[in-house]
Amino acid sequence: MSTAPSFELVDPAHPVLHPELDSEQISTVARYGRSCTFAPGDTLFRHGQRDAPFVVLKTGRVDIFERTSPTERHLIAKVIAGRFIGDQSMFTGEPTVAEAEAAEPCEALILEREQLRRLITEHTYVGEVILKCLMDRRDWLRGNDLGQVKLIGSRFSEDCYALRDFLTRNGVMHRFVDVESDEDSQRLLDEFGITPDETPVIVHSKGVDRNPTVGEVARALGLDRELDDEHIHDVVVIGGGPGGLGAAVYAASEGLDTLVIESRYPGGQAGASARIENYLGFPTGLSGNELTEKAVLQAKKFGATIVTPRKATAIDAAGSIKAVTLDDGTAVRGRVVVLACGADYRRLDGCTTKYEGRGVYYGTTYTEADRFRGKSVAVIGGGNSAGQAAVYLAKFAERVYMVIRKPDLSKGMSRYLADRIGSTDNIELIPKAEVVGCDGGEGLQCIDVGPIGGGDAEPRRLEVIAMFVMIGVDPRTDWLRGCVGLDEKGFVLTGMDAVAHPDFAEQWTNTQAPPAHLETTRPGVLAVGDVRAGSTNRVAAAIGEGGMAVTFCHRVLAKMPRR
């Protein structure tokens, strides 16, 4: 059987994790919720329940449990009168990570998700206490390995890496058990009756999923949602990177019915950034993961719906109501579409394909970083993303080789980042070079680098267990060809650049006005962030464009009949 988690219960009167609401705050909450009583042993909500209620306890005590399997649970917290019961999942509508049971006769106030959202947005003096506590509790759960699913598999498995990356980037708390090195792995395999050929497996409160796809895991954990193809949204945002999340926050906060469709995980390339140090208002910097988690919570605070992993495959933008077809055949409809589908890192040709997900990675550092302690890794590329990855990896790895095609980092990288790399002892810069080969067994073991044609770099073999490739991007716009105007590199044209496109006269049906600054060759279809031609490829710029797009959304919507 699973062993009980090893940690100390937090004091039920802890001022941060269990803040007490005063009588005025409880009276405010009461205006939004309903009163309810519970007898000892009554369940307030179950582990994994979607749309679990938010509870303010007026009398009695409630115990909180982590469910480690369908038949086993462990006490992780006690909640007393004057405190509230909830996690971020109560706010976002995602499945809860714990379950609650009355330990004594209780009287409580119950708020459903929409009531909680209204309370937080309309009464900031209560909302700030609640929202900050929900985030602190999530951090506490994560720090104590609680409320988590288990992923059991091999670090050399590409399928396992894809699941790890998906869980990490979607903020799903999980523990990875490596069958190659974790002493606990065989016990868990035996406990759940899993054979090695059935890995990777996901163990969660409802059972065990063997060899699941990313989509199956999303459905099992409640990340995916059913979509109503009859409902007409005000704004449909394609992509959940900084630009898409910026559009979602501003649109939802201004009362627009907002749907975000994300094909992989919120945050885009910025979500994988180890440290963003030049983002306004954060003098000590913040990670892309932190920015993404807060932005997602903020968008949901205002009522935006975010669905992942669902991929847009086509847009019918001919009429005033746009129809977006998804990869499962579902169609969602909206009055305005914001394209924020971003760009993908370019692949290295040839040798790396064999080791993708098994030592060769594109733009991701978080999922694998901790296993590089005392090892050597390589970063390929000389832009800001590559620099951020190198600095972050240097905290774990014994040595980080940075292979760049240019003579130095003076072009293409922020000065502060280049200086940081130059002052980090275990980062070695290899200029005027490129990767010409790689080798290994189950996973990557070494790469060969050589001079750029005619260059003076010495051919070298680098013994590394991982290589992160960040050599530029290509827009995710193959599915948009023929729908909106693209430039020669495939980026979406907007504003006066859209007017110059040869298909503009055929696609632009608004005879009253030219395209707005972020509008494409199709009226009511806008583009923001890295997918847009002329983008500055900065997180703050993408977020700003997302906010600016909402201004143009209002202009489009003002001319359309309301439902």
Side-chain angles (χ1 to χ4, degrees):
M1 295 294 293
S2 297
T3 57
S6 177
F7 68 97
E8 293 185 6
L9 291 178
V10 174
D11 181 352
H14 192 285
V16 175
L17 295 177
H18 296 290
E20 184 175 15
L21 299 180
D22 61 33
S23 58
E24 183 180 355
Q25 290 172 323
I26 291 178
S27 296
T28 300
V29 174
R31 297 204 298 270
Y32 290 82
R34 57 185 171 85
S35 294
C36 192
T37 59
F38 298 94
D42 283 353
T43 298
L44 280 68
F45 52 81
R46 302 179 306 278
H47 188 289
Q49 179 179 333
R50 183 185 283 281
D51 294 324
F54 177 80
V55 181
V56 175
L57 198 59
K58 297 175 71 175
T59 64
R61 194 190 91 209
V62 170
D63 291 341
I64 310 298
F65 296 90
E66 177 197 35
R67 183 165 290 281
T68 54
S69 75
T71 59
E72 189 171 79
R73 67 180 189 175
H74 303 293
L75 179 68
I76 62 173
K78 297 179 180 181
V79 182
I80 59 177
R83 275 71 179 178
F84 53 86
I85 303 165
D87 173 65
Q88 283 184 202
S89 54
M90 279 69 171
F91 185 74
T92 62
E94 296 167 345
T96 180
V97 298
E99 63 188 38
E101 182 178 288
E104 303 172 356
C106 299
E107 182 184 359
L109 295 170
I110 303 295
L111 281 74
E112 305 302 332
R113 183 169 72 97
E114 182 57 28
Q115 295 168 324
L116 176 61
R117 189 186 70 79
R118 286 179 49 224
L119 168 67
I120 287 176
T121 55
E122 294 174 6
H123 295 275
T124 55
Y125 72 102
V126 180
E128 287 181 4
V129 173
I130 293 174
L131 203 53
K132 184 179 185 306
C133 179
L134 297 186
M135 292 188 289
D136 289 337
R137 286 177 179 175
R138 178 58 64 95
D139 289 341
W140 180 83
L141 287 167
R142 188 181 287 121
N144 285 281
D145 288 337
L146 298 172
Q148 304 192 23
V149 300
K150 294 183 181 70
L151 169 60
I152 307 173
S154 169
R155 67 176 181 270
F156 299 123
S157 165
E158 184 176 348
D159 291 339
C160 187
Y161 174 77
L163 292 174
R164 291 180 66 193
D165 196 39
F166 176 77
L167 293 172
T168 300
R169 296 285 294 276
N170 275 283
V172 177
M173 294 187 296
H174 67 283
R175 180 163 75 91
F176 173 54
V177 181
D178 184 6
V179 298
E180 307 292 341
S181 61
D182 197 315
E183 295 179 358
D184 199 35
S185 62
Q186 190 56 54
R187 181 186 64 78
L188 288 170
L189 292 175
D190 293 341
E191 176 182 340
F192 295 109
I194 302 164
T195 59
D197 63 334
E198 292 178 310
T199 61
V201 298
I202 295 284
V203 181
H204 52 88
S205 62
K206 298 178 183 178
V208 178
D209 295 332
R210 293 163 167 80
N211 284 314
T213 65
V214 166
E216 289 169 343
V217 169
R219 287 187 288 275
L221 300 181
L223 297 175
D224 201 356
R225 284 180 176 270
E226 292 295 325
L227 295 172
D228 182 359
D229 57 6
E230 294 298 321
H231 181 77
I232 300 176
H233 302 274
D234 290 324
V235 182
V236 176
V237 182
I238 310 300
L245 290 175
V249 167
Y250 283 100
S253 70
E254 294 177 18
L256 300 181
D257 181 332
T258 306
L259 172 67
V260 179
I261 302 294
E262 170 52 48
S263 63
R264 298 177 184 176
Y265 24 65
Q269 289 182 27
S273 294
R275 205 74 189 163
I276 304 171
E277 297 196 48
N278 59 353
Y279 191 71
L280 184 67
F282 291 84
T284 60
L286 77 168
S287 73
N289 191 52
E290 290 175 297
L291 178 62
T292 298
E293 188 171 323
K294 288 178 170 59
V296 168
L297 190 62
Q298 191 175 19
K300 291 182 176 181
K301 165 186 172 181
F302 291 119
T305 299
I306 301 176
V307 179
T308 181
R310 304 289 280 275
K311 184 178 181 180
T313 59
I315 300 178
D316 180 356
S320 59
I321 304 300
K322 282 69 176 168
V324 181
T325 302
L326 307 183
D327 50 0
D328 63 353
T330 303
V332 295
R333 299 193 292 166
R335 292 179 166 82
V336 179
V337 172
V338 178
L339 301 174
C341 33
D344 286 317
Y345 285 106
R346 294 186 185 125
R347 261 46 183 172
L348 278 177
D349 295 331
C351 67
T352 60
T353 304
K354 177 181 177 182
Y355 297 106
E356 287 187 7
R358 296 188 296 124
V360 175
Y361 309 103
Y362 289 88
T364 302
T365 57
Y366 288 103
T367 303
E368 292 289 300
D370 194 53
R371 79 175 182 90
F372 302 144
R373 294 186 186 277
K375 309 290 184 181
S376 294
V377 300
V379 174
I380 316 302
N384 281 336
S385 294
Q388 289 165 347
V391 170
Y392 177 72
L393 290 165
K395 299 176 182 178
F396 301 85
E398 179 181 40
R399 193 156 201 80
V400 178
Y401 298 101
M402 194 167 185
V403 182
I404 65 172
R405 297 176 64 89
K406 295 178 181 179
D408 54 47
L409 297 172
S410 60
K411 294 182 179 180
M413 184 179 292
S414 298
R415 175 65 180 272
Y416 81 90
L417 198 50
D419 290 344
R420 178 76 60 82
I421 289 170
S423 63
T424 304
D425 292 339
N426 62 333
I427 298 179
E428 179 180 344
L429 189 66
I430 304 177
K432 296 190 287 187
E434 63 182 346
V435 176
V436 296
C438 55
D439 201 0
E442 287 291 324
L444 183 70
Q445 294 177 347
C446 63
I447 64 172
D448 295 315
V449 298
I452 299 295
D456 54 6
E458 291 291 331
R460 294 177 63 180
R461 168 158 285 200
L462 308 176
E463 293 185 1
V464 296
I465 65 168
M467 173 171 63
F468 295 91
V469 182
M470 303 177 186
I471 55 173
V473 297
D474 293 312
R476 297 176 185 158
T477 55
D478 285 346
W479 64 286
L480 288 171
R481 293 191 181 279
C483 175
V484 297
L486 309 177
D487 70 7
E488 65 279 2
K489 295 181 179 180
F491 291 91
V492 179
L493 295 169
T494 58
M496 295 312 296
D497 290 334
V499 175
H501 190 271
D503 293 339
F504 176 78
E506 179 183 348
Q507 295 180 356
W508 187 258
T509 57
N510 182 1
T511 59
Q512 303 301 313
H517 175 57
L518 298 176
E519 204 163 12
T520 70
T521 55
R522 296 281 188 179
V525 178
L526 296 90
V528 301
D530 289 356
V531 76
R532 190 179 71 83
S535 168
T536 57
N537 302 116
R538 291 289 187 271
V539 173
I543 294 172
E545 288 184 5
M548 188 190 306
V550 176
T551 300
F552 301 132
C553 289
H554 282 298
R555 295 180 188 176
V556 174
L557 294 170
K559 301 175 183 178
M560 299 177 65
R562 307 301 292 169
R563 51 185 179 276

